[in-house]
Amino acid sequence: MEAKSTTDMGKEYEIDLVDHLKFDNARRSKSSGASFHDNIDITSDHFVIEAEATEKKSYSVKIDFWEEVRQKAHNNKKPLIAFRFRNTKNPRKSVDLIAMDKNDFVELMEKIYG
């Protein structure tokens, strides 16, 4: 598998996330979150998601970025940041992670497990 541009990796990851979250009516923004009226990568019934993909070994997140994502979460939706560490040599070894607020995680677990 060859290297991809950041834009191509992001689109690929967004499509994958939407496919995995179709049970929650997930949809990609037409502009990948770049337009004023649709400024988040993915929305679903319960979440707003910023998707980030890289072929590097690390990805830096600043609290300001988290605050931006959190502010985009309207109608009681939970903010998430999804990360893909893409492995160009072996796609099966790519790693996908989700970051969310601890309190939102606890609330979700309480709903699932009572």
Side-chain angles (χ1 to χ4, degrees), residues 42-68:
I42 299 168
T43 59
S44 74
D45 288 347
H46 296 94
F47 302 102
V48 294
I49 305 167
E50 281 293 330
E52 305 296 327
T54 185
E55 291 175 342
K56 297 178 181 178
K57 300 274 183 194
S58 66
Y59 188 89
S60 178
V61 178
K62 293 185 168 118
I63 192 68
D64 292 345
F65 179 60
W66 172 253
E67 288 301 321
E68 282 180 39

Side-chain angles (χ1 to χ4, degrees), residues 50-101:
E50 281 293 330
E52 305 296 327
T54 185
E55 291 175 342
K56 297 178 181 178
K57 300 274 183 194
S58 66
Y59 188 89
S60 178
V61 178
K62 293 185 168 118
I63 192 68
D64 292 345
F65 179 60
W66 172 253
E67 288 301 321
E68 282 180 39
V69 177
R70 193 180 63 75
Q71 289 175 6
K72 294 174 184 177
H74 301 289
N75 302 323
N76 292 320
K77 293 184 181 187
K78 306 299 184 197
L80 303 176
I81 303 175
F83 305 94
R84 170 168 283 173
F85 293 92
R86 189 172 178 271
N87 186 320
T88 57
K89 294 179 184 170
N90 186 347
R92 292 182 187 161
K93 291 189 176 184
S94 293
V95 176
D96 293 339
L97 304 172
I98 302 285
M100 70 186 305
D101 181 274

Side-chain angles (χ1 to χ4, degrees), residues 29-47:
S29 165
K30 291 178 182 165
S31 62
S32 187
S35 67
F36 177 75
H37 68 281
D38 198 10
N39 61 357
I40 197 82
D41 291 336
I42 299 168
T43 59
S44 74
D45 288 347
H46 296 94
F47 302 102

